[in-house]
Amino acid sequence: MIGTNRLTVYRDGMQYEIVEKDVLFFEADGSTTLIYTINNEYRSEKSLTAWMSILDDRLFYQCHKSYIVNMGKIDKIEKNTIIMGNGDKVAVSRRQYKLLLREFMEFDTKRR
């Protein structure tokens, strides 16, 4: 099943395990990564590159050098912004825009 891997993340110095399909998006923050879910924000020492090697590539897409998004949580895609299901906005690089649209349409038709 897609997006069922468990991820180890941290919040307030405590370790948590979350299911990858619950993640809205990942954001690079200096030497750490912020992981956003509907209810919480977590941290990790892993880089976005490390996360991309772990995550289910059928579900996650790196739309910008600083962001990885869960395509199942996208509400809509505008010219340079993704609007997530909870209203959060994520930047899309100009180079990634067309490819993102193609990947999202494929995801939407095959996996949603």
Side-chain angles (χ1 to χ4, degrees):
M1 183 142 178
I2 190 169
T4 57
N5 293 334
R6 298 188 77 64
L7 310 173
T8 301
V9 294
Y10 297 87
R11 188 180 77 222
D12 300 327
M14 299 284 293
Q15 181 175 313
Y16 295 87
E17 276 198 5
I18 58 175
V19 179
E20 74 183 337
K21 68 182 177 184
D22 292 339
V23 173
L24 295 169
F25 63 96
F26 294 79
E27 178 183 10
D29 182 40
S31 64
T32 63
T33 300
L34 301 175
I35 300 103
Y36 295 90
T37 64
I38 291 287
N39 299 317
N40 292 304
E41 177 183 313
Y42 300 94
R43 289 190 167 275
S44 168
E45 298 299 317
K46 291 184 176 85
S47 67
L48 287 186
T49 304
W51 278 113
M52 280 305 293
S53 70
I54 296 167
L55 296 169
D56 188 332
D57 62 0
R58 298 171 297 174
L59 186 60
F60 289 93
Y61 185 81
Q62 187 163 1
C63 60
H64 186 279
K65 67 179 181 171
S66 298
Y67 295 100
I68 300 170
V69 294
N70 178 339
M71 292 200 286
K73 305 289 186 184
I74 292 175
D75 188 39
K76 81 178 158 181
I77 301 172
E78 296 176 345
K79 190 64 180 169
N80 60 354
T81 308
I82 295 171
I83 311 297
M84 302 306 292
N86 68 343
D88 284 350
K89 295 182 178 184
V90 176
V92 178
S93 71
R94 279 181 278 151
R95 286 188 217 149
Q96 291 294 328
Y97 179 72
K98 286 183 181 177
L99 186 55
L100 170 66
L101 285 179
R102 193 173 327 134
E103 292 286 329
F104 181 67
M105 284 192 286
E106 184 177 321
F107 173 83
D108 207 32
T109 56
K110 288 184 178 177
R111 297 188 175 95
R112 216 183 258 233

